[in-house]
Amino acid sequence: MDKFQAMQVFTRVVEANSFTMAADNLGLPRATVSTTIRNLERALQVRLLNRTTRKISLTPDGASYYERCIRLLADLEEAETSFRDVARRPRGRLRIDTPASIGRSILIPSLCEFHERYPDIELVIGMGDRPVDLVQEAVDCAIRVGELQDSSMVARRIGTFESLTCAAPSYLEAYGEPRTIKDLERHHAVHYFSARTGRTIDWDFVVDGVATEVKVKSIVAVNDSDAYVACGLQGFGLIQPARYMVRPHLESGQLREVLTGWKPSPMPISVVYLHNRHLSPKVRAFVDWVTELFGRCPLLGGECHAGEMPQECEFACEPTGHTVRSVIEQHNLAESVF
């Protein structure tokens, strides 16, 4: 058995999440791919993949072996690349994952810029608010909001998630404008809950430099960022969205900011990837580009001034060969990330 080829076949099966698709990508018969995986498991004396009629998934041993394979294959690719034309552009399929609101508001409007700079990279974009398993779901890198817990990831801080408290004028006319945190006792909020756990996300404010949770009554709760803003626009209560999500509504007067002296706790925004993929030219290209993109967006750094969002590109270009492809994957929302 050619172990190098077996590692290539194995990683392609994991990333395609399909024996058939992996076979098509490699130009091999499906039976050859299946046999290669069986022989590899026999040689290693462990089961690498759980197989059902509908899907495949990595076993714990398979996840560990996959990471090692990726590292070895990336090292080999880097070694070969160093002897090729250094000006060769990054290429290949790059699968990323991002919170839905960041994808819609920040990434998608700027994809033409990315495509013009890296025309040989095919983007596959998953948009949801649950933390994905980069190994199990074959994701190359992800944008995440909040403090990171997984020390096995490489993370680069690219921005700050700044929220605000606001409401529709109709709500404020009916209930008055809260002037202090204590005033919230007589107000209603639109609540946001985790679809995975069902837990409602409590509000918090920075009071005298300390993050303080505040409970606010509610008459409606949702688990979708668009629905959350829509409920606020309809006057169902106060909301605490990201500033970049509601900038147009603030400028038009459809929403009004309140409690400007008490801000919700800011959260870091990071781009993360597996430690063994930092040598991949396509991952490096995306990480550098998204860092630059967020760096020139004031709404992701704390200060907000009208008209300072990056200019939106008209995403009407039709790249040949589907070089830029946005795959919007509907996920259950697991955390308080819009």
Side-chain angles (χ1 to χ4, degrees):
M1 179 181 63
D2 184 332
K3 290 187 178 180
F4 175 70
Q5 183 187 42
M7 285 192 293
Q8 288 181 311
V9 170
F10 171 65
T11 56
R12 193 62 61 87
V13 168
V14 172
E15 291 164 2
N17 200 31
S18 164
F19 281 85
T20 301
M21 290 181 63
D24 291 341
N25 292 339
L26 292 167
L28 296 172
R30 188 188 185 287
T32 299
V33 171
S34 298
T35 300
T36 299
I37 298 300
R38 284 198 302 271
N39 290 340
L40 181 60
E41 289 178 322
R42 188 177 299 115
L44 296 173
Q45 297 184 345
V46 296
R47 177 177 288 276
L48 299 173
L49 298 170
N50 293 314
R51 306 163 176 82
T52 69
T53 55
R54 291 189 175 185
K55 65 178 183 178
I56 60 174
S57 62
L58 285 165
T59 65
D61 287 328
S64 176
Y65 186 68
Y66 174 77
E67 288 197 37
R68 296 187 182 189
C69 287
I70 288 295
R71 186 183 305 120
L72 290 171
L73 294 173
D75 287 344
L76 179 60
E77 180 182 0
E78 181 71 9
E80 291 178 344
T81 300
S82 66
F83 291 99
R84 297 177 190 155
D85 182 4
V86 294
R88 187 175 70 86
R89 293 180 297 198
R91 64 180 64 245
R93 175 178 293 186
L94 181 67
R95 186 173 180 188
I96 66 175
D97 193 87
T98 179
S101 65
I102 288 178
R104 286 191 297 265
S105 301
I106 309 299
L107 292 186
I108 298 298
S110 300
L111 281 187
C112 280
E113 174 192 315
F114 182 85
H115 174 54
E116 289 171 2
R117 191 179 301 184
Y118 303 108
D120 298 320
I121 293 180
E122 176 189 0
L123 282 180
V124 179
I125 306 175
M127 289 175 33
D129 293 317
R130 67 176 180 86
V132 299
D133 185 316
L134 271 65
V135 174
Q136 287 282 355
E137 300 180 51
V139 173
D140 293 295
C141 59
I143 295 173
R144 290 185 176 171
V145 177
E147 298 298 332
L148 302 172
Q149 305 298 325
D150 193 342
S151 61
S152 68
M153 301 292 179
V154 178
R156 181 188 292 188
R157 174 81 171 264
I158 60 175
T160 303
F161 187 91
E162 296 279 356
S163 302
L164 74 156
T165 307
C166 59
S170 61
Y171 173 85
L172 297 176
E173 290 170 6
Y175 292 90
E177 180 177 335
R179 303 291 180 180
T180 67
I181 300 296
K182 186 171 179 57
D183 287 348
L184 293 175
E185 294 176 358
R186 57 182 176 81
H187 279 271
H188 293 97
V190 178
H191 277 168
Y192 189 91
F193 70 93
S194 165
R196 179 173 60 87
T197 65
R199 183 176 67 87
T200 297
I201 308 302
D202 288 330
W203 281 23
D204 75 273
F205 294 88
V206 177
V207 179
D208 297 327
V210 178
T212 304
E213 285 192 355
V214 177
K215 294 188 180 296
V216 188
K217 293 177 294 186
S218 175
I219 58 173
V220 63
V222 297
N223 69 336
D224 174 81
S225 57
D226 285 341
Y228 186 75
V229 173
C231 286
L233 290 168
Q234 292 299 316
F236 281 106
L238 298 161
I239 58 174
Q240 276 194 343
R243 186 177 289 276
Y244 66 80
M245 289 176 56
V246 294
R247 181 181 69 95
H249 305 305
L250 294 170
E251 292 177 351
S252 68
Q254 292 175 291
L255 291 173
R256 279 170 37 197
E257 184 175 3
V258 299
L259 296 172
T260 56
W262 293 270
K263 302 291 186 182
S265 299
M267 294 184 287
I269 305 175
S270 307
V271 58
V272 301
Y273 49 97
L274 295 172
H275 64 84
N276 51 23
R277 294 192 186 177
H278 69 284
L279 295 177
S280 169
K282 60 187 179 181
V283 171
R284 185 187 299 123
F286 178 79
V287 169
D288 289 345
W289 174 78
V290 80
T291 301
E292 175 189 330
L293 175 65
F294 276 54
R296 62 178 188 254
C297 178
L299 294 185
L300 296 171
E303 293 298 322
C304 172
H305 302 287
E308 286 191 339
M309 284 289 282
Q311 291 185 346
E312 295 184 357
C313 81
E314 295 296 331
F315 196 55
C317 53
E318 297 182 0
T320 59
H322 305 287
T323 305
V324 177
R325 180 178 58 175
S326 175
V327 178
I328 311 302
E329 299 179 349
Q330 296 300 320
H331 293 311
N332 289 332
L333 306 180
E335 303 296 336
S336 59
V337 175
F338 303 103

